[in-house]
């Protein structure tokens, strides 16, 4: 979920979230209605009079809960907030499931949850989820402040503006991370493989929910990036394909890297564009082990050769899409192993505007594989260059002559990747490093101080990001394979 929470794992989805359309699976509807009825019972059960008013029979398993509530109401040394207590009871039930994708949201959190898949919002633009009491990044949104700041999948957000996130739900974390456009938020981030947490200051912005980006190269290979599965993504994809067809598209790279998931109905509609009629798109297994298959219909299919790009930020709805393309459409997957989220969530609103999102089923690939916590291995594994994984440099830090730190070492690696010569890459800011910074500043039109800070740091990370885009080894491999297919079909 991005600081919109979502399936999004989408897709994430506080975590990635898949909203299942009820008419798709009649069997699931039964279980969802049953669960909702049980929730409503609990919401009304605090006070026997209300239960009697709606003609509901007492349930013995709730006696302990009633007793605890009555004791608190009668004996607690201060006045209690009834609403807060009831909300806490519901939240406690969901927490006890030990499921990062099940979550209770109050009115404000629920409002943001619905907003995250249907409109723009203001924040940093990163899907997050709670895992074992910690908040971690599922994926930054394309073009967002989070992406520009260098946040990456699996980064752990330890604190927001000095407030620890330990033990918080993703919904609670979202409220701290989001904020008005133009305001700053300081994140304390721990990245795997680094010794010390990073302090990252990000300026919030409006995050539009535009999810499909298409371009064509000179060989008529279209590159279509899908950044999440939101309310209009399927329509956006259809439009993009039509535009590429008008430009003479001969083949297509579908890119769901860093896509944390989203709405299941969108993933189904999009997958249906490529999978032959009658083939399985995916399967759903309920809590009794019963399986239901979703199959492709007879709508018009895309016929040009296709490959799909995936990585560790491809989650949930992205994985449903990728698995169906691989197993039912015979499409080659290129990149790195996906995130590994194999469960389906449903969001149910309470009358007061609050919301409960909970896991209702497993989803399985067309061949019946459950990829939860395993991910999907690509057919062709291709990694990005090492410099694509370098951590964020804080522009507020002042790295200069005689500085010694891990940040200096990362700065040296960035300079080296961009063709400068900082001397030995060892974390020590020596004369060679200073000269490399001055050379970079001169080329960038920045005052030549030899200090890596402020505008220099921002420009360094911007140039590196552009280099990563220009040297996208995964995309290059996809285009190579498609050009081979074009050649073989032409001959």
């Amino acid at each position: 979920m991005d600081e919109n929470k979502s399936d999004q794992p989408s897709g994430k989805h506080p975590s990635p979230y898949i909203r299942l359309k009820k008419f798709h699976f009649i069997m699931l509807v039964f279980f969802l209605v049953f669960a909702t009825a049980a929730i409503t019972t609990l919401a009304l059960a605090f006070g026997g009079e209300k239960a009697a008013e709606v003609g509901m029979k007492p349930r013995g398993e709730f006696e302990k809960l009633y007793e605890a509530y009555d004791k608190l109401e009668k004996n607690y040394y201060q006045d209690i907030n009834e609403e807060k207590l009831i909300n806490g009871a519901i939240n406690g039930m969901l927490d006890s499931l030990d499921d990062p994708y099940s979550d209770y949201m109050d009115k404000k959190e629920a409002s943001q949850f619905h907003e995250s898949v249907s409109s723009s919002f203001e924040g940093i633009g990163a899907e997050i989820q709670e895992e074992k009491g910690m908040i971690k990044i599922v994926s930054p949104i394309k073009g967002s402040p989070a992406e520009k700041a260098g946040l990456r999948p699996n980064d752990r957000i330890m604190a927001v503006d000095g407030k620890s996130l330990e033990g918080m739900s993703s919904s609670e974390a979202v409220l701290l991370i989001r904020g008005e456009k133009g305001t700053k938020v300081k994140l304390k981030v721990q990245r795997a493989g680094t010794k010390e947490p990073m302090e990252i200051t990000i300026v919030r912005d409006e995050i539009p929910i535009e999810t499909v980006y298409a371009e064509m190269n000179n060989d008529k290979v279209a590159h279509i990036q899908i950044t999440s599965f939101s309310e209009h993504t399927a329509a956006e994809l259809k439009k993009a394909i039509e535009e590429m067809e008008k430009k003479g598209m001969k083949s297509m790279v579908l890119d769901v890297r860093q896509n944390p998931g989203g709405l299941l109905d969108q993933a189904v509609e999009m997958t249906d564009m490529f999978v032959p009629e009658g083939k399985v798109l995916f399967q759903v297994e309920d809590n009794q082990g019963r399986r239901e298959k979703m199959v492709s219909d007879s709508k018009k299919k895309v016929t040009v050769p296709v490959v799909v790009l995936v990585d560790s930020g491809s989650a949930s709805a992205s994985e449903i899409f990728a698995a169906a393309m691989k197993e039912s459409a015979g499409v080659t997957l290129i990149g790195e192993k996906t995130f590994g989220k194999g469960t389906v969530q449903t969001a149910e609103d309470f009358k007061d505007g609050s919301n409960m999102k909970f896991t209702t089923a497993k989803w399985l690939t067309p061949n019946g594989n459950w990829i939860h916590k395993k991910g999907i291995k690509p057919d062709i594994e291709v990694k990005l260059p090492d410099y694509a994984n370098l951590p964020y440099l804080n522009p507020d830090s002042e790295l200069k002559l005689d500085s010694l730190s891990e940040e200096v070492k990362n700065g040296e690696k960035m300079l080296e990747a961009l063709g400068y010569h900082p001397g030995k890459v060892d974390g020590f800011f020596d004369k060679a490093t200073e000269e490399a910074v001055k050379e970079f500043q001169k080329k960038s039109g920045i005052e030549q101080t030899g200090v890596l800070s402020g505008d220099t740091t921002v420009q360094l990370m911007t140039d590196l990001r552009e280099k990563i885009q220009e040297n996208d080894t995964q995309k290059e491999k996809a285009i190579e394979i498609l050009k081979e297919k074009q050649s073989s079909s032409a001959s």
Side-chain angles (χ1 to χ4, degrees):
M1 135 177 179
D2 95 329
E3 358 83 84
N4 42 291
K5 346 176 280 199
S6 91
D7 136 282
Q8 158 245 42
S10 355
K12 192 236 284 6
H13 172 327
S15 38
Y17 146 74
I18 299 183
R19 185 172 61 199
L20 180 64
K21 279 199 170 179
K22 294 180 183 176
F23 62 80
H24 283 158
F25 298 99
I26 296 174
M27 193 172 295
L28 278 182
V29 173
F30 170 80
F31 287 102
L32 297 181
V33 171
F34 178 85
T36 305
I39 295 159
T40 306
T41 302
L42 177 63
L44 295 176
F46 291 104
E49 295 177 2
K50 289 184 179 179
E53 287 174 8
V54 294
M56 300 177 72
K57 295 180 180 179
R59 294 182 59 175
E61 61 265 36
F62 289 112
E63 285 302 322
K64 187 176 180 180
L65 192 60
Y66 304 151
E67 185 179 351
Y69 178 84
D70 289 340
K71 287 181 183 295
L72 288 172
E73 185 180 44
K74 182 177 180 180
N75 300 313
Y76 192 66
Y77 82 106
Q78 292 180 336
D79 290 339
I80 63 172
N81 182 320
E82 181 181 280
E83 181 180 4
K84 189 174 182 180
L85 207 62
I86 294 173
N87 288 346
I90 300 171
N91 201 37
M93 283 195 293
L94 289 164
D95 285 348
S96 72
L97 298 173
D98 197 24
D99 176 7
Y101 307 115
S102 295
D103 194 19
Y104 173 74
M105 291 164 268
D106 63 25
K107 296 175 189 178
K108 187 175 181 181
E109 293 168 339
S111 175
Q112 290 188 346
F113 172 75
H114 290 305
E115 177 189 80
S116 69
V117 293
S118 60
S119 65
S120 65
F121 62 93
E122 293 182 352
I124 68 169
E127 298 289 338
I128 65 173
Q129 75 168 49
E130 181 273 332
E131 184 178 86
K132 296 180 180 178
M134 300 298 294
I135 300 297
K136 76 175 187 178
I137 300 287
V138 174
S139 182
I141 295 173
K142 180 180 174 66
S144 67
E147 183 193 52
K148 293 174 182 176
L151 289 179
R152 297 186 56 78
N154 296 314
D155 283 349
R156 286 170 40 187
I157 305 178
M158 303 177 71
V160 177
D161 290 329
K163 185 178 180 66
S164 173
L165 299 188
E166 187 173 359
M168 283 192 185
S169 69
S170 53
S171 302
E172 293 169 323
V174 164
L175 293 178
L176 294 176
I177 298 171
R178 276 198 183 181
E180 292 184 8
K181 176 181 178 180
T183 59
K184 292 182 178 181
V185 60
K186 181 177 284 188
L187 306 181
K188 186 177 182 180
V189 176
Q190 180 70 59
R191 176 166 295 170
T194 61
K195 296 178 181 177
E196 299 295 329
M198 304 175 287
E199 294 283 350
I200 302 176
T201 299
I202 302 178
V203 179
R204 299 179 178 103
D205 202 349
E206 182 175 354
I207 312 298
I209 308 299
E210 181 181 355
T211 59
V212 177
Y213 302 82
E215 60 183 10
M216 182 88 78
N217 73 6
N218 294 331
D219 295 307
K220 300 300 180 182
V221 178
H223 175 241
I224 301 179
Q225 184 176 14
I226 305 162
T227 60
S228 68
F229 290 80
S230 295
E231 199 169 60
H232 304 294
T233 302
E236 287 182 45
L237 178 59
K238 288 177 184 177
K239 183 180 178 181
I241 291 173
E242 289 170 0
E243 290 175 351
M244 294 297 100
E245 286 174 340
K246 290 176 183 177
K247 294 181 179 180
M249 173 178 65
K250 294 181 180 179
S251 58
M252 182 192 314
V253 178
L254 287 173
D255 189 347
V256 292
R257 292 176 297 176
Q258 305 295 297
N259 182 326
L263 302 181
L264 179 57
D265 62 326
Q266 296 295 299
V268 170
E269 187 174 350
M270 292 160 65
T271 307
D272 204 28
M273 299 178 196
F274 302 91
V275 174
E277 180 182 357
K279 291 276 191 177
V280 177
L281 300 178
F282 67 100
Q283 303 181 49
V284 169
E285 182 177 296
D286 67 23
N287 60 3
Q288 300 299 312
R290 293 172 293 208
R291 295 186 182 183
E292 184 108 8
K293 294 181 179 180
M294 173 65 75
V295 299
S296 182
D297 62 21
S298 59
K299 291 178 183 176
K300 180 182 175 182
K301 309 297 179 181
V302 174
T303 56
V304 298
V306 177
V307 298
V308 174
L309 294 179
V310 295
D311 68 4
S312 62
S314 306
S316 203
S318 295
E319 293 173 294
I320 288 176
F321 180 79
M325 295 292 276
K326 175 185 172 81
E327 294 182 4
S328 290
V331 169
T332 300
L333 302 187
I334 296 174
E336 300 175 69
K337 189 172 71 171
T338 63
F339 182 85
K341 179 181 180 292
T343 56
V344 178
Q345 281 69 47
T346 290
E348 295 287 346
D349 289 333
F350 292 101
K351 290 181 180 179
D352 65 356
S354 60
N355 176 286
M356 185 173 81
K357 178 171 69 68
F358 56 104
T359 300
T360 54
K362 298 177 180 179
W363 73 263
L364 311 172
T365 71
N367 293 344
N369 299 313
W370 194 38
I371 58 91
H372 198 61
K373 297 184 179 180
K374 301 175 185 175
I376 301 169
K377 289 184 178 180
D379 299 292
I380 302 174
E381 184 174 2
V382 180
K383 295 185 179 297
L384 291 173
D386 289 342
Y387 56 76
N389 297 311
L390 288 174
Y392 172 87
L393 286 183
N394 189 351
D396 295 334
S397 297
E398 193 174 77
L399 309 180
K400 57 185 179 181
L401 194 63
D402 294 333
S403 296
L404 178 64
S405 68
E406 191 69 21
E407 269 199 307
V408 171
K409 189 173 184 178
N410 291 324
E412 290 172 327
K413 288 180 179 179
M414 290 182 185
L415 288 164
E416 191 173 60
L418 292 170
Y420 299 91
H421 305 287
K424 188 176 180 181
V425 178
D426 56 3
F428 179 62
F429 202 115
D430 58 15
K431 277 289 186 182
T433 310
E434 185 180 57
E435 288 304 313
V437 172
K438 285 182 178 179
E439 186 183 351
F440 172 75
Q441 290 171 327
K442 181 179 179 180
K443 187 174 181 180
S444 302
I446 299 171
E447 182 184 358
Q448 297 172 51
T449 63
V451 177
L452 192 51
S453 181
D455 291 343
T456 302
T457 301
V458 171
Q459 189 61 51
L460 183 65
M461 289 190 292
T462 299
D463 288 2
L464 184 66
R465 186 164 59 250
E466 290 174 357
K467 182 178 177 66
I468 293 167
Q469 293 170 349
E470 292 167 1
N471 294 275
D472 188 338
T473 51
Q474 295 166 342
K475 180 180 172 183
E476 288 169 0
K477 184 64 176 179
I479 292 173
E480 176 190 327
I481 289 173
L482 288 172
K483 286 170 68 176
E484 289 174 0
K485 289 183 178 182
Q486 288 176 198
S487 298
S488 59
S489 62
S491 61

